[in-house]
Amino acid sequence: MTGGHRRILVVEDDPETAGQLVEELTTSGYDVDLAATGREALSHGAARDYAVITIDRMLPDIDGITVMRQLRDDGIAAPFLIISALGEVDDRVRGLRAGGDDYLVKPFSFIELLARLEALGRRSDTIAKETLLRVGDLAVDLIARAAFRRGRKIPLLPREFQLLEYLVRNEGRVVSRAMLLQHVWDLHFDPSTNIIDVYVGRVRRKVDDAQAYPLIHTIRGIGYCLRAPG
């Protein structure tokens, strides 16, 4: 995993096992968040971007596979490493078919866990570079044609997605209304149209409303710029 993408979510309800995992992973250089229940896992998964999520099959409130499916439905692309005492072939197949990327049976060697995490992390980095655009806490999935802010899906119409994608691809650069009209609508500039302002207004409300900081900025008299603070 790259140095800037070493955060792992550990979903484990057994306090002793959870404590050992957090301690050993932290010692190995990872940033670790812990969830002891399925509900905590759903909350963490929606709020942060993880390189890998390890998840126990048997949780006290929601089955681990159900949690995994819900996070997948919510657009969470992080690879899942299922860690479970359920080690029969049928159990492993069910977990992998439900969306798991790897399956580790308890008890296990921590060295093997690290090796599997590194392999999943490399895969995660490769996929992210090829299919995801990121600015701050905004993620744009080019394959699914979907956008997420802090892990929550933004409901965008196709043209709104195209507009946001173009702004994200030009992160930090000011783009004029004429550029947007040409690249998003494939039209030459018409000074009388207000279609750009209407669509940018829609996208801005969907992306920035109720968020900690705005991403889309108006550059008066010129156009727009998408950038994160700092």
Side-chain angles (χ1 to χ4, degrees):
M1 263 168 270
T2 59
H5 198 209
R6 292 180 65 90
R7 181 167 293 278
I8 292 176
L9 174 61
V10 172
V11 186
E12 171 61 63
D13 67 313
D14 178 68
E16 183 177 354
T17 302
Q20 291 176 347
L21 283 173
V22 171
E23 180 180 358
E24 292 175 333
L25 288 171
T26 301
T27 300
S28 298
Y30 291 97
D31 297 318
V32 185
D33 291 336
L34 176 64
T37 67
R39 289 184 178 86
E40 288 180 8
L42 291 172
S43 177
H44 279 292
R48 304 203 70 161
D49 179 29
Y50 292 101
V52 181
I53 298 174
T54 74
I55 188 163
D56 192 355
R57 281 280 305 271
M58 296 182 290
L59 298 171
D61 54 348
I62 308 172
D63 177 77
I65 285 183
T66 302
V67 172
M68 189 170 61
R69 282 176 171 157
Q70 182 61 57
L71 288 172
R72 282 281 185 253
D73 289 344
D74 290 342
I76 305 305
F80 284 92
L81 171 58
I82 302 170
I83 300 177
S84 177
L86 302 174
E88 296 298 324
V89 172
D90 287 348
D91 295 317
R92 298 199 301 271
V93 169
R94 181 169 178 249
L96 294 171
R97 283 181 172 171
D101 297 274
D102 199 355
Y103 200 109
L104 187 60
V105 179
K106 297 179 180 178
F108 55 85
S109 161
F110 184 70
I111 294 175
E112 181 181 3
L113 172 66
L114 277 181
R116 290 174 183 253
L117 288 176
E118 288 294 342
L120 289 174
R122 288 192 297 271
R123 187 190 311 172
S124 177
D125 287 342
T126 300
I127 293 172
K129 288 175 185 176
E130 293 177 349
T131 68
L132 291 177
L133 302 177
R134 297 184 184 276
V135 178
D137 57 7
L138 172 70
V140 176
D141 187 328
L142 302 178
I143 301 300
R145 306 300 287 172
F148 304 86
R149 186 99 191 250
R150 297 185 63 207
R152 297 191 179 278
K153 189 173 183 179
I154 302 169
L156 294 172
L157 298 173
R159 188 73 72 180
E160 293 170 346
F161 181 86
Q162 288 178 265
L163 173 60
L164 181 61
E165 178 187 348
Y166 186 75
L167 290 172
V168 170
R169 287 186 182 277
N170 288 276
E171 174 193 358
R173 292 193 286 268
V174 178
V175 296
S176 67
R177 289 173 177 81
M179 291 167 65
L180 289 170
L181 201 62
Q182 178 181 351
H183 291 282
V184 179
W185 277 266
D186 197 24
L187 298 171
H188 293 295
F189 183 60
D190 178 359
S192 66
T193 184
N194 69 341
I195 190 172
I196 299 298
D197 304 284
V198 170
Y199 268 83
V200 170
R202 290 180 187 171
V203 173
R204 194 203 308 267
R205 285 190 293 274
K206 293 181 178 182
V207 171
D208 287 340
D209 276 5
Q211 298 294 334
Y213 55 85
L215 291 172
I216 301 173
H217 305 269
T218 299
I219 310 301
R220 189 176 298 276
I222 304 175
Y224 301 94
C225 179
L226 188 144
R227 63 174 182 270

